[in-house]
Each structure stands twice: as C-alpha cells, then as structure tokens.
Amino acid sequence: MLHLERIKWGRIALAWLLFALFMMGLVYGQAVSRGAAVHWRTVVLVPLLHSLLWALLTPVVFALASRFDLTAGRRGWLTKFLVHIGVGIALTLGYRAAYVLLLRLLAVPGTEVSWSAIVASLNVWVPMYWMLLLAAYALEYYDRYRNRSLEAAQLETQLVQAQLQALKMQLNPHFLFNALNAIAALTGDDAKAGQRMMGKLGQFLRVVLDHSDAQQVTLEQELQFTALYLEIEQIRFSDRLRLCYEVDSQARPALVPSLLLQPLVENAVRHGIARNPDGGTVCLRAARQGDRLQLAVYDDGPGAPGPDGAWGIGLRNTEERLRTLYGARAALRIDTAPAQGFTVWLDLPFSTTP
C-alpha cells in the first residue's frame, strides 16, 4: 500500500512548473529555428496548460497507483494492469479534451475544437500516465528504503547502547565485590577506618547511580568519580598510597565513557600498590593533542611479567567499551615490564558533544 500521505505535493507542483519552463524554452526555440512568428500565447499558455492539467491529475494517478498496486504481488496483477490501461486512456482523453477547450477559450492561435484535435497526439500523452505511475512506485520504494535505513540505524544504535550498558554493568559488581572485601578485611583491624571506608563507598555508589544512564560524562566528572574512589583506597592504604594528577585544563571538558578510569585505577592499586609493602604512586595524566584526547594511568609497582589478559576484567572491559563506542578511532596501549611499573595509555577522539 503506497503511503501517499507522505508525499510532498508542493514538490510535485514545483516539478511541473519546472517542466512548463522547460517546454516554454523548447517551443520558443522551435519557433525561432523555423523562422515562424512567435505568439506569446503559444509559447507561454501551451506549456502552462500541459503542466497545470497534469499537476491536477498527478494526485489521481498516485491514488490509482495505491488502489491498484502493481507491486503488491502476483495475485490479481493482470486485472490491475488492465485497469491501468483503461484508466490511462480515459484520463488522457479527458486531459486532451480539457486542454483543447481551454486553448480555444484562451484564443491560442491555431486551436481547433474537434474530435480529431482531441485524439491527436493521444499516443504521445498516454505514456505520461505510465510515467506518473512509475514515479509513484519509485517514490514508494525510496520511502521504504529510507525507512528501513533509518530503522537499521536505530537498531544499530540501540544494540551499541545495550552492549555499552552491559559492559558498564559488569564494572559495578566487580568493583563492589572488591570494595566490600577490602572493608571486611579492614574492619577487623581498624573498625573506625572500616566505617569511614563504608561511608565513602556509599557516597561513591550514590554518584554512580546518579549517572547510571549516562554512557558518557565529561573528563572533569570522571576525574571526580575517580578521586572519590581513590579516597576510599587511601583510607585502606593510608600513606602507602600516593597520588599524582597531571591534567591539562583543555582536556577537562572532553567527553569520555562513564567509569572509564575507575577500573584502570583499581588495577593500579591492586596490582601495583597492594603488592608493595612500601606502597607506591598512582598517577593520572590527561592532555589534549589537537583533535585527540590522551589519557594515562600509571603506577610504579612491580609491572606485569605476564600477558595483558592476566590483568583481568578491568582492561578487557575497557578495551571492549572503547571498541564498541569508537571503533578504530580509539586505542588502548600498555607499557610494562618487570620492575618498570605499569602504564595504560588511552587515545580517544576529543569531543565535547555526544
């Protein structure tokens, strides 16, 4: 069934007006080339009448295209085809009759009102009906293609959002499990520190829940989340955990995936600081390089003797989120070696708009 209500009739009127202007130039050129007298009624009124009448008939043809849809399947196709043949001839006869009568009323030179004048060039104008019929079906196919493309894009966006949400939700239980284990261990040794850590954890979780639907936040907000998490870890490690922030002010408005840094910082604390009796330093770096955002999470711990995958869900999840959100436009790189510390480098497109 054709969706005729979506057709912009103003565009159809404009198309017929352009056709009339083209025909005016053609009629004028033919008259000049023959050396014949140029009558303005012939040059102007004849093309205008052609276009006006067909413009009025176009909605009728489109309605017939919808009523007797030749693209709806094989069932009844022959009957519909014969209907279009008969209607095409009838409409063209009506058009020619109206055309000749109007020319006569407007006193266009050389106009003759007779059956022969009405039937003359009927074979030229019957194809116009079929051209309009094809135009109706072409517009319908284009409309279907555009709608399917839009639906496909919407489905793809929804799929990406679902994948990102699933990846993001993996981080929350993982972090919460680790944090509760740390609180349980700390409570036995220092009940007050355990209570403070529980209070900070509740504050952190409230912030996370307030932004649970946001896939992207500003780097400034992300740094605030991360700092709140590090406050929790500082209660646990006290002066064994030293922090370093090297953040370019131009980088702070950039949009980044929500909870991007937290799992990387958590890895740095667990694998870099917790293993060292003397503790160590965790450093966050951020800088804008043209249209790129450079992020780094560094710890001066023992480094990673094994493959990257040995560092667990945090890195794998971060890499997958970047791939899903940015594709090939983002990269994650690891620099590490035994006794050389561990650095996660992130290279993202710089953007301040979602």
Side-chain angles (χ1 to χ4, degrees):
M1 191 69 176
L2 295 174
H3 301 290
L4 295 176
E5 67 277 2
R6 300 180 183 177
I7 296 173
K8 306 297 183 182
W9 297 114
R11 296 179 182 177
I12 293 176
L14 177 61
W16 281 114
L17 177 60
L18 293 175
F19 176 78
L21 294 175
F22 170 77
M23 290 297 295
M24 288 178 194
L26 186 63
V27 172
Y28 179 80
Q30 289 175 343
V32 171
S33 64
R34 293 195 306 266
V38 178
H39 299 282
W40 72 269
R41 286 188 175 86
T42 303
V43 173
V44 176
L45 294 180
V46 169
L48 279 179
L49 282 177
H50 278 305
S51 296
L52 176 62
L53 291 172
W54 280 114
L56 294 174
L57 288 175
T58 296
V60 178
V61 177
F62 279 22
L64 289 167
S66 178
R67 177 64 180 85
F68 303 99
D69 190 356
L70 294 175
T71 67
R74 295 183 179 181
R75 185 176 180 181
W77 187 88
L78 180 59
T79 301
K80 296 174 184 176
F81 181 72
L82 294 175
V83 168
H84 282 299
I85 290 178
V87 171
I89 294 173
L91 280 181
T92 306
L93 282 172
Y95 147 75
R96 290 294 298 170
Y99 170 74
V100 170
L101 290 173
L102 286 172
L103 288 181
R104 181 65 175 176
L105 290 174
L106 294 171
V108 175
T111 302
E112 177 188 355
V113 179
S114 64
W115 178 249
S116 60
I118 293 175
V119 176
S121 70
L122 188 66
N123 61 320
V124 175
W125 293 104
V126 166
M128 183 62 74
Y129 173 87
W130 291 93
M131 290 175 62
L132 289 175
L133 203 64
L134 291 176
Y137 293 133
L139 288 172
E140 171 65 9
Y141 276 114
Y142 172 74
D143 192 51
R144 291 178 188 175
Y145 170 78
R146 185 180 58 182
N147 288 340
R148 288 174 183 173
S149 298
L150 181 61
E151 290 173 0
Q154 291 173 341
L155 288 173
E156 183 177 357
T157 300
Q158 291 172 2
L159 177 60
V160 169
Q161 292 293 333
Q163 290 173 338
L164 288 170
Q165 190 66 24
L167 290 168
K168 183 179 172 183
M169 292 305 295
Q170 288 180 21
L171 294 174
N172 296 338
H174 180 71
F175 156 72
L176 186 59
F177 176 76
N178 291 335
L180 290 176
N181 275 346
I183 292 172
L186 188 62
T187 301
D189 299 328
D190 188 344
K192 290 185 179 180
Q195 291 174 357
R196 291 201 308 274
M197 192 172 178
M198 181 64 78
K200 289 291 184 181
L201 176 61
Q203 185 179 353
F204 179 81
L205 291 177
R206 279 194 295 272
V207 173
V208 171
L209 289 173
D210 287 342
H211 296 83
S212 60
D213 293 332
Q215 288 297 342
Q216 290 182 298
V217 295
T218 64
L219 179 61
E220 179 71 27
Q221 292 174 303
E222 182 65 16
L223 290 171
Q224 292 174 0
F225 298 161
T226 307
L228 191 54
Y229 166 76
L230 288 171
E231 288 178 17
I232 297 172
E233 294 293 6
Q234 279 192 312
I235 296 173
R236 176 185 174 193
F237 290 99
S238 187
D239 57 358
R240 291 176 56 210
L241 174 59
R242 295 177 292 277
L243 302 177
C244 164
Y245 294 93
E246 300 174 3
V247 181
D248 182 358
S249 60
Q250 293 183 352
R252 292 180 182 272
L255 291 177
V256 298
S258 179
L259 295 179
L260 174 68
L261 297 177
Q262 185 275 326
L264 304 182
V265 170
E266 183 179 354
N267 271 353
V269 172
R270 290 185 63 206
H271 300 288
I273 308 305
R275 293 180 178 183
N276 189 347
D278 297 327
T281 299
V282 173
C283 190
L284 276 72
R285 301 185 177 107
R288 178 180 180 179
Q289 301 290 337
D291 61 351
R292 308 297 298 176
L293 177 66
Q294 309 287 336
L295 302 174
V297 177
Y298 163 77
D299 71 79
D300 58 1
D308 298 343
W311 291 90
I313 189 174
L315 283 175
R316 293 197 304 271
N317 194 296
T318 299
E319 189 173 26
E320 184 63 29
R321 290 181 74 196
L322 293 180
R323 184 184 301 114
T324 302
L325 189 59
Y326 301 109
R329 296 180 299 136
L332 182 151
R333 178 171 59 87
I334 295 172
D335 288 341
T336 184
Q340 297 295 318
F342 193 92
T343 304
V344 180
W345 296 93
L346 303 178
D347 182 26
L348 315 176
F350 182 92
S351 175
T352 57
T353 57

